[in-house]
């Protein structure tokens, strides 16, 4: 894989102007090849899209065919599609090569929509050719484009303002672009020089200053510095450390087992400013019958700086399913001898550590603010989630800090309102007057469903911001003919949970 040249500002400006003039947007590309082809493209099947664009020589179609799908085009077609940059300029940026009268893409450049609390828009994001464009396995130095995991982390990023953000393992730079929307400055690091050039190119192409790049592993490039926020989609994939197993830079940092995530958790406190947060995706192993989340607890406890931790396990795979996932990800065809050999290497590696399963999820860590109670929350949430979680996570942290300042008397004196996305469901046995099950459903955030008893349901139902919680609890105790002090002692801790998880909001 050839090295990318440092992006020339004049050429980048010409490319940006040409892309805008051609209307090269995500919506326009989807409209150009239609919904069936768009669905197929998302699955790595390019034929329907290429057929939909066949015979078209307009700039949008040429750009979609070459820069989105990675297909070749004539020099004349590219010259017309990119009149300011030209085919030679595209090659000078390292995004294509010219073979006679044909332009052959050496990278992808795709439009990517974004939306967050501050607005919506679009980026153009360059990355290496994917499996579909290459027609085979990926090179080990591959720089990944925007995929499901990177979009997940982008949606998880806190939406509150920050001064300095560190993006560890930046890849094509999508997390850095996202962080720059709320931060004054972003430092993006990676062990791959090619990834750093892609990040610099994407920042320049989208007109974003304030994003700098540094080479190195984990926190080495920023030793002694402090950041308000750290984000990372690190190369956490568990890979056998044996000869003959490809080590892809975008997913494998050379650590054994889940040691990379352990090293990140153990070291991130050193680069966080007081109260600073870190967010990352990661894997953790279930070893020798020990719960994977308990192992993450150990990593957090080993940090030299006290850390708040909110860990959410979204999925758990057995060793075979995990091995198949990542062998296929590298482009090896199921059923082939090479596929069987790689699967066996993964299973043997897991067996040496007596791994029974691998968990995947989100880690939110915070350097515990002085004088505040520590947050230690480890949970499994497998239900589908709609929309970005960043705003909810920010609200939950703010709620935790506020609750930490309220003793039970102060909480009882507070008012609360039910969040707009909360609904109640009651289930009755046929002919029964009283419900056997009462559920609170959350429409946003983590889409939690909680079983509640009649007392808590009554309190939530009455929480309209008018009366203090203590007054409502006393009235409910009188209605249910139970001891008011005992009911208060039972309900207030659960109110704290409802406030943190977003079912209730304090007035």
């Amino acid at each position: 894989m050839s090295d990318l040249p440092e992006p020339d500002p004049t050429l980048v400006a010409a490319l940006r102007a040409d892309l805008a003039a051609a209307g090269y947007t995500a919506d326009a590309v989807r409209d150009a090849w239609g919904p069936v082809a768009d669905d197929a493209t998302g699955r790595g099947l390019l034929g329907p899209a290429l057929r939909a664009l066949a015979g078209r020589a307009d700039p949008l179609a040429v750009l979609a065919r070459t820069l989105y799908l990675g297909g070749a085009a004539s020099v004349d077609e590219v010259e017309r599609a990119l009149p300011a940059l030209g085919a030679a300029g595209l090659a000078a940026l390292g995004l294509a090569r010219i073979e006679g009268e044909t332009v052959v893409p050496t990278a992808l450049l795709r439009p990517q929509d974004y939306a967050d609390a501050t607005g919506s828009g679009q980026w153009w994001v360059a990355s290496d050719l994917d499996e579909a464009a290459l027609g085979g396995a990926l090179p080990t130095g591959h720089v990944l484009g925007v995929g499901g995991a990177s979009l997940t982390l982008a949606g998880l990023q806190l939406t509150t303002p920050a001064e300095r953000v560190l993006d560890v393992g930046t890849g094509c730079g999508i997390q850095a672009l996202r962080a720059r929307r709320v931060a004054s400055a972003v430092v993006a690091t990676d062990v791959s020089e090619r990834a750093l050039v892609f990040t610099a190119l994407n920042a320049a192409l989208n007109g974003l200053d304030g994003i700098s790049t540094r080479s190195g592993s984990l926190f080495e490039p920023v030793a002694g510095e402090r950041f308000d926020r750290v984000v990372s989609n690190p190369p956490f994939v568990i890979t056998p450390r044996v000869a003959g197993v490809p080590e892809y830079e975008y997913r494998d940092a050379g650590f054994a087992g889940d040691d990379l995530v352990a090293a990140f958790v153990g070291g991130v406190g050193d680069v966080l400013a007081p109260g600073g947060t870190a967010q990352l995706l990661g894997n953790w192993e279930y070893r020798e019958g020990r719960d994977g989340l308990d192992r993450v607890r150990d990593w957090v406890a080993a940090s030299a700086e006290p850390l708040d931790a909110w860990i959410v396990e979204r999925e758990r795979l057995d060793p075979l399913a995990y091995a198949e996932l990542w062998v296929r990800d590298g482009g090896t065809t199921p059923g082939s001898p090479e596929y069987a050999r790689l699967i066996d290497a993964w299973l043997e590696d897991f067996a040496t550590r007596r791994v029974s399963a691998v968990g995947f999820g989100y880690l939110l860590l915070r350097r515990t603010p002085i004088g505040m109670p520590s947050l230690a929350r480890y949970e499994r949430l497998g239900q589908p989630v709609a929309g970005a979680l960043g705003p909810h996570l920010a609200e939950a942290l703010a709620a935790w800090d506020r609750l930490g300042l309220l003793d039970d008397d102060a909480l009882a004196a507070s008012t609360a309102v039910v969040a707009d996305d909360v609904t109640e469901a009651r289930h009755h046995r046929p002919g029964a007057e009283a419900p056997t099950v009462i559920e609170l459903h959350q429409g946003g955030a983590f889409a939690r469903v909680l079983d509640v008893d009649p007392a808590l349901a009554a309190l939530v139902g009455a929480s309209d911001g008018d009366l203090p919680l203590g007054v409502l609890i006393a009235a409910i105790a009188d209605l249910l003919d139970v001891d008011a002090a005992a009911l208060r002692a039972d309900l207030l801790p659960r109110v704290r949970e409802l406030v943190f998880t977003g079912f209730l909001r304090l007035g």
Side-chain angles (χ1 to χ4, degrees):
M1 185 179 295
S2 62
D3 292 333
L4 278 174
E6 291 296 324
D8 179 293
T10 302
L11 296 179
V12 172
L15 175 58
R16 181 169 59 244
D18 284 340
L19 296 177
Y24 187 50
T25 67
D27 284 344
V29 169
R30 283 191 288 264
D31 289 343
W33 55 46
V36 174
D38 193 59
D39 186 35
T41 300
R43 304 182 190 194
L45 304 172
L46 307 187
L50 289 171
R51 286 193 294 274
L53 299 174
R56 289 181 54 175
D58 56 288
L60 177 63
V62 172
L63 295 178
R65 191 166 63 248
T66 55
L67 298 183
Y68 200 107
L69 301 178
S74 71
V75 170
D76 286 344
E77 287 177 318
V78 173
E79 292 286 348
R80 290 193 297 272
L82 300 173
L85 180 67
L90 193 66
L93 285 172
L95 302 179
R97 65 178 184 272
I98 300 176
E99 299 179 354
E101 294 301 313
T102 302
V103 176
V104 180
T106 55
L108 301 176
L109 178 57
R110 292 173 167 173
Q112 177 65 52
D113 292 332
Y114 66 81
D116 56 30
T118 61
S120 61
Q122 178 197 270
W123 294 308
W124 292 297
V125 181
S127 63
D128 275 323
L129 298 171
D130 59 16
E131 292 174 58
L134 290 170
L138 301 173
T140 55
H142 178 81
V143 176
L144 199 64
V146 179
S150 54
L151 290 176
T152 294
L153 181 59
L156 287 169
Q157 283 200 40
L158 300 180
T159 54
T160 48
E163 286 298 317
R164 300 188 76 213
V165 175
L166 171 64
D167 176 15
V168 177
T170 188
C172 69
I174 184 63
Q175 305 306 327
L177 298 183
R178 173 63 186 79
R180 183 62 179 86
R181 289 182 54 74
V182 297
S184 301
V186 178
V187 176
T189 69
D190 208 293
V191 297
S192 166
E193 294 292 342
R194 186 174 178 83
L196 295 177
V197 176
F198 268 124
T199 295
L201 170 62
N202 290 328
L205 185 58
N206 291 287
L208 294 175
D209 59 3
I211 297 177
S212 60
T213 60
R214 301 187 200 175
S215 177
S217 177
L218 285 175
F219 309 112
E220 293 170 0
V222 295
E225 298 182 49
R226 296 290 181 270
F227 295 85
D228 304 299
R229 197 162 296 157
V230 178
V231 296
S232 183
N233 182 13
F236 58 76
V237 175
I238 298 167
T239 305
R241 306 261 71 84
V242 296
V245 176
E247 297 181 9
Y248 296 99
E249 286 184 347
Y250 74 91
R251 72 183 202 189
D252 176 16
F255 288 70
D258 52 18
D259 287 353
L260 171 70
V261 182
F264 190 105
V265 174
V268 72
D270 294 334
V271 300
L272 285 175
T277 57
Q279 296 178 273
L280 68 150
L281 307 180
N283 279 163
W284 38 87
E285 294 180 336
Y286 286 67
R287 293 182 185 173
E288 300 180 332
R290 188 145 188 259
D291 191 294
L293 288 180
D294 285 342
R295 297 186 62 247
V296 180
R297 288 179 189 270
D298 292 344
W299 302 341
V300 173
S303 171
E305 296 290 344
L307 292 177
D308 291 344
W310 186 2
I311 316 299
V312 178
E313 183 176 277
R314 296 289 290 159
E315 186 177 14
R316 191 191 316 175
L317 297 177
D318 62 50
L320 177 57
Y322 188 89
E324 289 182 316
L325 171 66
W326 293 110
V327 172
R328 288 195 306 268
D329 177 79
T332 304
T333 305
S336 67
E338 179 66 3
Y339 183 85
R341 185 187 69 80
L342 290 174
I343 293 293
D344 191 60
W346 248 275
L347 295 181
E348 184 177 4
D349 178 61
F350 282 135
T352 62
R353 294 187 301 278
R354 298 178 63 186
V355 174
S356 60
V358 180
F360 165 80
Y362 320 146
L363 298 90
L364 191 159
L365 307 167
R366 183 171 67 162
R367 188 168 167 184
T368 306
I370 296 173
M372 297 298 294
S374 180
L375 171 62
R377 190 179 184 95
Y378 298 78
E379 55 186 333
R380 295 179 177 89
L381 298 171
Q383 66 270 22
V385 173
L389 286 166
H392 169 64
L393 298 180
E395 291 169 2
L397 288 180
W400 177 264
D401 291 342
R402 183 176 179 186
L403 289 167
L405 299 175
L406 299 176
D407 61 17
D408 281 354
D409 288 339
L411 180 59
S414 304
T415 60
V417 295
V418 183
D420 292 340
D421 64 332
V422 173
T423 57
E424 181 185 273
R426 294 185 175 232
H427 303 270
H428 297 72
R429 291 190 61 80
E433 181 178 352
T436 55
V437 177
I438 306 174
E439 294 174 335
L440 297 180
H441 291 248
Q442 188 177 48
F446 279 108
R448 299 173 189 266
V449 178
L450 302 179
D451 289 342
V452 297
D453 57 32
L456 185 57
L459 179 59
V460 172
S463 294
D464 57 6
D466 287 341
L467 296 175
L469 290 166
V471 173
L472 294 176
I473 292 172
I476 293 168
D478 186 58
L479 181 65
L480 298 178
D481 194 22
V482 298
D483 181 74
L487 186 63
R488 171 175 141 149
D490 173 60
L491 290 182
L492 287 183
R494 292 195 281 165
V495 166
R496 292 179 183 274
E497 172 71 3
L498 291 177
V499 172
F500 177 81
T501 53
F503 284 81
L504 290 177
R505 306 189 192 284
L506 294 181

